[in-house]
Amino acid sequence: MCHVMKRILACSLAAALASGPPLALAETPTAPTTTRTAAPDTDKCPHSERPEKATTTSERLAPGQASPTPLPPVDSDEPCGTTLPEGFKVDKDVVAAAWMVSDIDTGEIVAMKDPNGRYRPASIIKALLALVVIDELDLHKKVEVSEESVQIDGSAVGIGPGGDYTVEQLLQGLLMASGNDAAHALAQEMGGDEATLRKVNEKAAEIGTNSTYAASYSGLDAPGMSTSAEDISRIYRAAFHNPTFARIVDTESVDFPGWGDFDGYQLGNDNGLFLNDPDGIGGKTGFTDDAHHTFVGALDRHGRRLQAVLLDTTVEHGPRAWEQAQKLLHEAYKVPPGSGVGNLLADATSPAATPEPDSQTQSVNSSLAGVQGWLGWVIAGAVVLLAMCVGAFSLLRR
């Protein structure tokens, strides 16, 4: 019965997104939070080791579970307060504890606040899961949904047992609607929760993060969960260079399958910046009671792609998370390229974009790999045979 209610809620959300103001429901918190009148003071690096203490039971340790050891503090010259280029003005309505605006292609950091402070990511961490899935699974593969996936906690896209879903459709549910049910279903295809969590953290390390530990692959709070504005900027820089990821988050709506007696419906993107800014190219929303609101959004203006990351922000004072990000991005576009305050990568190189294969290309590549392997053995055998013949000829000459 619970999964039926989730499906009804998912369909209601889709209808609300299609007919009403974007994000009217998607970012509504489940518990009241303190209204901020200004961004928290981070000049003295209050979160250099770990996020602020949880106010809920979300990170309560299980019996016998040891408290996770925090990651080593980042050895960096970057200050913990606000670092701005000349003339950059931060709107008073931007009340995030940490944020960063950076160039997706060059890696230039335009402006930032507490870049290495540790905060909870909420659902924006789903980008790591998406990148692992894209690396490992065929987008056209059919996925069988279990009752366990349907019953998973948190936000849901509304999948059901017996539904006919491909990996790509579950990725759409993961990134466009932040479905924890889709996250769980995808994780089972990659070997289960433990294996997927390991792969997600390996992906974070591969990208070059310093403060990120994914205690859950969906973004639900759990002991040890941690990231930073600089880490999330690195993660989404890599993600936006992935053609499959970039295409999905840059999609306004798709036809999503039904299951059982439920018909399919139009799944809408829940990212308000993408929906409301003409230059929007996607991103990700996030919220938990302890992470507060988190957000990633990107714009492409005349070929210059800038992204904004917000951690630990609130919306009770007025502007929503996407509107706060928009204020930062519009200000950042006033800053000429090369006039920023740092760089995400020392060499300032761009990640190489991987062409997006279709199923036919994947099949051809697999066949070629088999042929190449077979040819390798043939050539190796020929080399050995030639060596034996040469040896025998030498003995005969003697």
Side-chain angles (χ1 to χ4, degrees):
M1 188 64 185
C2 181
H3 59 263
V4 174
M5 292 304 298
K6 281 190 173 185
R7 177 66 181 193
I8 293 171
L9 288 171
C11 293
S12 298
L13 175 57
L17 288 171
S19 60
L23 290 182
L25 297 178
E27 288 192 357
T28 301
T30 57
T33 57
T34 303
T35 301
R36 289 180 185 166
T37 57
D41 183 357
T42 57
D43 288 350
K44 295 182 179 179
C45 307
H47 306 303
S48 60
E49 291 190 2
R50 65 182 74 206
E52 189 174 357
K53 187 177 180 180
T55 59
T56 72
T57 61
S58 65
E59 297 183 2
R60 179 179 292 172
L61 297 172
Q65 181 184 7
S67 181
T69 303
L71 297 168
V74 177
D75 183 14
S76 173
D77 294 331
E78 294 172 334
C80 299
T82 303
T83 307
L84 308 173
E86 184 177 355
F88 192 106
K89 296 180 180 179
V90 181
D91 192 282
K92 61 181 178 57
D93 284 329
V94 178
V95 295
W99 55 264
M100 178 174 284
V101 182
S102 61
D103 190 305
I104 293 171
D105 297 300
T106 67
E108 181 181 18
I109 301 170
V110 181
M112 60 187 178
K113 180 179 187 295
D114 199 13
N116 293 301
R118 271 76 187 268
Y119 298 88
R120 297 173 182 87
S123 283
I124 61 176
I125 205 69
K126 284 184 168 83
L128 286 175
L129 174 60
L131 290 176
V132 173
V133 168
I134 293 167
D135 281 348
E136 294 198 8
L137 300 181
D138 181 347
L139 296 179
H140 305 290
K141 181 182 180 182
K142 293 295 181 66
V143 176
E144 184 175 347
V145 172
S146 69
E147 186 68 25
E148 185 182 7
S149 294
V150 175
Q151 301 287 355
I152 211 71
D153 289 339
S155 56
V157 66
I159 60 177
D164 190 18
Y165 308 100
T166 63
V167 167
E168 178 162 354
Q169 286 168 332
L170 291 177
L171 280 171
Q172 291 166 344
L174 177 79
L175 296 173
M176 295 171 63
S178 205
N180 290 351
D181 49 354
H184 188 270
L186 289 167
Q188 308 322 299
E189 285 296 303
M190 293 192 298
D193 291 350
E194 186 176 338
T196 299
L197 203 52
R198 184 185 71 253
K199 293 173 183 180
V200 162
N201 281 297
E202 287 172 352
K203 175 61 72 174
E206 175 190 317
I207 289 171
T209 62
N210 298 305
S211 300
T212 297
Y213 173 70
S216 76
Y217 52 75
S218 67
L220 290 175
D221 294 325
M225 182 71 100
S226 172
T227 195
S228 70
E230 187 158 319
D231 278 5
I232 292 293
S233 297
R234 287 193 177 102
I235 290 167
Y236 275 80
R237 181 172 185 256
F240 275 112
H241 277 270
N242 183 291
T244 300
F245 179 95
R247 172 174 55 78
I248 291 175
V249 298
D250 194 21
T251 301
E252 184 171 341
S253 66
V254 293
D255 292 326
F256 200 76
W259 59 272
D261 294 331
F262 290 97
D263 295 329
Y265 72 104
Q266 279 283 307
L267 170 64
N269 196 318
D270 71 357
N271 191 301
L273 181 66
F274 167 69
L275 294 173
N276 289 284
D277 195 297
D279 298 321
I281 57 172
K284 186 75 190 71
T285 60
F287 175 82
T288 69
D289 289 336
D290 285 314
H292 302 136
H293 290 273
T294 63
F295 184 81
V296 180
L299 305 180
D300 184 345
R301 186 174 294 176
H302 307 302
R304 187 184 183 194
R305 299 193 299 170
L306 299 183
Q307 62 179 1
V309 170
L310 278 74
L311 297 176
D312 183 16
T313 196
T314 62
V315 301
E316 289 73 24
H317 67 295
R320 310 205 63 81
W322 71 263
E323 292 173 306
Q324 296 177 46
Q326 186 181 49
K327 292 175 184 292
L328 291 172
L329 284 164
H330 285 187
E331 189 70 15
Y333 274 107
K334 300 176 184 177
V335 179
S339 302
V341 298
N343 205 288
L344 291 171
L345 299 175
D347 61 0
T349 57
S350 299
T354 303
E356 188 175 4
D358 56 26
S359 57
Q360 183 177 1
T361 302
Q362 290 174 331
S363 177
V364 169
N365 287 343
S366 298
S367 300
L368 286 175
V371 171
Q372 288 169 349
W374 177 78
L375 284 175
W377 283 107
V378 171
I379 292 170
V383 170
V384 172
L385 182 61
L386 179 61
M388 292 173 64
C389 291
V390 170
F393 181 72
S394 298
L395 288 173
L396 287 173
R397 291 188 62 184
R398 291 179 185 175

